[in-house]
């Protein structure tokens, strides 16, 4: 990583970690609190519709986009080819998501920002997820935490 950082700095480039994740209408259930004797109930329907989320994380910020359905690798490859080398890609090892700080952004979104959230529709899921991600963009502590958890800080 250090060699890549030096090369990018010399060429005045920015390193961006990119990852895609899916958000489902089914909630990510986490522990919560309730009054003694009143078990909290999370009600949701069993629809399996989802939204794809793509994010790119730099040292100081992240950008994201939400898509209906899946993001195809062919589209990404065509985009990279169209840049004629201005955008270069290096793949991380297949079974090491812990090296990608964007994985920790998804963990924050699903286990904290959207925890126990039961949307009534896909549109409500997209609106809420977009709002939570926008609020995360303004919180430097979340971005720093992603880098530290990936041990790349």
């Amino acid at each position: 990583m250090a060699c890549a950082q030096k090369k990018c700095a010399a060429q005045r480039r920015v390193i961006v970690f990119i990852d895609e994740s899916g958000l489902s209408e089914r909630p990510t259930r986490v522990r919560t609190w309730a009054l003694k004797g009143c078990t909290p109930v999370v009600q949701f329907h069993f629809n399996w519709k989802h939204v794809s989320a793509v994010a790119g994380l730099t040292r100081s910020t992240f950008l994201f986009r939400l898509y209906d359905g899946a993001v195809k690798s062919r589209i990404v490859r065509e985009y990279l080819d169209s840049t004629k080398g201005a955008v270069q890609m290096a793949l991380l090892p297949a079974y090491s998501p812990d090296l990608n700080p964007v994985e920790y952004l998804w963990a924050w979104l699903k286990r904290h920002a959207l925890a126990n959230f039961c949307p009534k529709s896909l549109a409500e899921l997209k609106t809420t997820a977009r709002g939570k991600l926008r609020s995360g963009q303004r919180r430097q502590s979340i971005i720093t935490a992603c880098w530290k958890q990936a041990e790349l800080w």
Side-chain angles (χ1 to χ4, degrees):
M1 185 70 183
C3 181
Q5 286 177 332
K6 290 177 185 177
K7 184 177 178 181
C8 286
Q11 295 177 351
R12 306 191 99 174
R13 292 180 179 245
V14 176
I15 295 176
V16 181
F17 281 81
I18 300 173
D19 192 39
E20 184 238 353
S21 184
L23 301 173
S24 171
E25 286 183 301
R26 296 179 70 185
T28 301
R29 294 179 296 159
V30 297
R31 289 181 184 245
T32 188
W33 64 274
L35 297 174
K36 190 173 182 177
C38 298
T39 304
V41 177
V42 177
Q43 294 181 342
F44 61 95
H45 49 81
F46 287 96
N47 288 346
W48 194 244
K49 295 178 186 173
H50 72 278
V51 173
S52 291
V54 177
L57 184 79
T58 69
R59 285 283 198 185
S60 59
T61 191
F62 70 89
L63 300 174
F64 69 91
R65 174 127 336 152
L66 302 178
Y67 296 93
D68 291 329
V71 177
K72 308 288 185 203
S73 61
R74 180 181 54 81
I75 295 169
V76 175
R77 174 55 56 200
E78 288 173 0
Y79 169 74
L80 289 172
D81 292 344
S82 74
T83 65
K84 296 181 175 65
V87 176
Q88 297 178 0
M89 177 176 65
L91 296 174
L92 294 173
Y95 294 101
S96 58
D98 52 320
L99 294 177
N100 190 345
V102 184
E103 291 288 346
Y104 300 102
L105 177 66
W106 299 139
W108 166 79
L109 179 67
K110 293 176 181 181
R111 294 187 193 125
H112 296 281
L114 294 177
N116 296 330
F117 173 63
C118 302
K120 293 178 178 64
S121 66
L122 205 56
E124 183 181 9
L125 173 64
K126 286 172 66 173
T127 300
T128 304
R130 186 175 288 113
K132 297 294 185 179
L133 285 166
R134 283 186 180 152
S135 74
Q137 287 177 316
R138 295 186 295 271
R139 295 176 56 193
Q140 187 62 40
S141 61
I142 292 172
I143 297 167
T144 302
C146 292
W147 284 97
K148 284 185 178 179
Q149 286 179 315
E151 297 180 357
L152 297 174
W153 189 256

